[in-house]
Amino acid sequence: MARTKEFDPDAALQSAVELFWQRGYEATSMADLVAHLGIARASLYATFGSKRELYAKAMDRYAEQHGPRILEELSQPGSALPAVRALIERFAEEAAHDELRRGCFVTNTAVELGSHDPDAARRVEQSWHSMEAALTSALMRARAQGELPADRDPVALARLLLVLMQGMRVVGKVDAGTGLLRDAAAQALSLLD
């Protein structure tokens, strides 16, 4: 007879997301995971596999939790440009007021693992591609609705905003103050006028 799990794998995965998001991959040991998740090492391996496999699952969970919100915000019916503006302003505010200085799990992964871990780089690229596609779609709608000047390239603007938003998450990891992030957001948003 198989033993029943003495822990909730879903809750354990969410705890792993929080720990990896705060500390990163390299700075999180298996001992840290065992202590933070409150489960035995053997149970951790049996449920999630290696530390690397658990990290990949944590990245996927983070993307599941955060990606749809952006798509939902940008695909609301009606005027598209206010949704783009609100997203950029929200990123600036969240980055400026991130008391834990966590930044973004995806951006953190890009910085820490992107250059030497093809699987992590692929997951980062998927996340960024989804965000770029959502921004491009919203900006195309804004141009079609007459909110965005006809000479503006929605694809290029979406890429600029994507890079800006990811940069905000990096800058927000250091207590740089809200002025820097707000000014950068304002300058980027002025390109939408």
Side-chain angles (χ1 to χ4, degrees):
M1 177 185 295
R3 277 182 73 191
T4 59
K5 291 196 183 310
E6 297 175 7
F7 66 95
D8 178 355
D10 190 61
L13 179 57
Q14 188 59 42
S15 289
V17 169
E18 297 301 324
L19 185 61
F20 282 131
W21 188 3
Q22 180 66 40
R23 299 181 69 183
Y25 178 76
E26 295 295 337
T28 303
S29 69
M30 283 303 288
D32 295 331
L33 287 163
V34 167
H36 188 77
L37 276 58
I39 60 177
R41 185 180 296 256
S43 294
L44 195 148
Y45 282 118
T47 303
F48 300 110
S50 67
K51 174 183 156 184
R52 184 65 193 87
E53 290 170 305
L54 177 55
Y55 190 82
K57 288 175 179 143
M59 277 193 75
D60 292 344
R61 168 65 64 89
Y62 179 88
E64 290 167 7
Q65 292 172 332
H66 296 271
R69 178 181 178 193
I70 293 169
L71 181 59
E72 183 179 319
E73 290 173 12
L74 293 175
S75 61
Q76 293 294 316
S79 186
L81 203 54
V84 174
R85 290 180 176 285
L87 180 68
I88 301 308
E89 290 167 353
R90 178 172 65 80
F91 262 66
E93 286 301 310
E94 287 177 357
H97 296 100
D98 182 1
E99 292 178 13
L100 297 176
R101 302 282 172 232
R102 293 184 302 183
C104 167
F105 193 135
V106 174
T107 305
N108 296 347
T109 299
V111 170
E112 182 181 13
L113 302 175
S115 67
H116 62 277
D117 185 326
D119 183 60
R122 181 182 56 78
R123 282 180 161 77
V124 167
E125 289 169 3
Q126 285 174 337
S127 175
W128 289 349
H129 177 73
S130 295
M131 188 181 299
E132 178 187 339
L135 283 164
T136 298
S137 178
L139 291 167
M140 290 175 112
R141 282 187 13 249
R143 192 169 69 177
Q145 294 167 343
E147 300 173 309
L148 185 67
D151 66 340
R152 296 302 186 337
D153 179 355
V155 174
L157 277 172
R159 289 177 173 171
L160 171 79
L161 296 175
L162 171 68
V163 171
L164 172 77
M165 292 187 308
Q166 298 313 304
M168 287 177 176
R169 297 299 197 191
V170 172
V171 170
K173 289 180 69 74
V174 177
D175 188 10
T178 59
L180 177 68
L181 294 165
R182 283 188 185 138
D183 288 350
Q187 285 302 306
L189 292 175
S190 72
L191 297 173
L192 303 176
D193 295 329

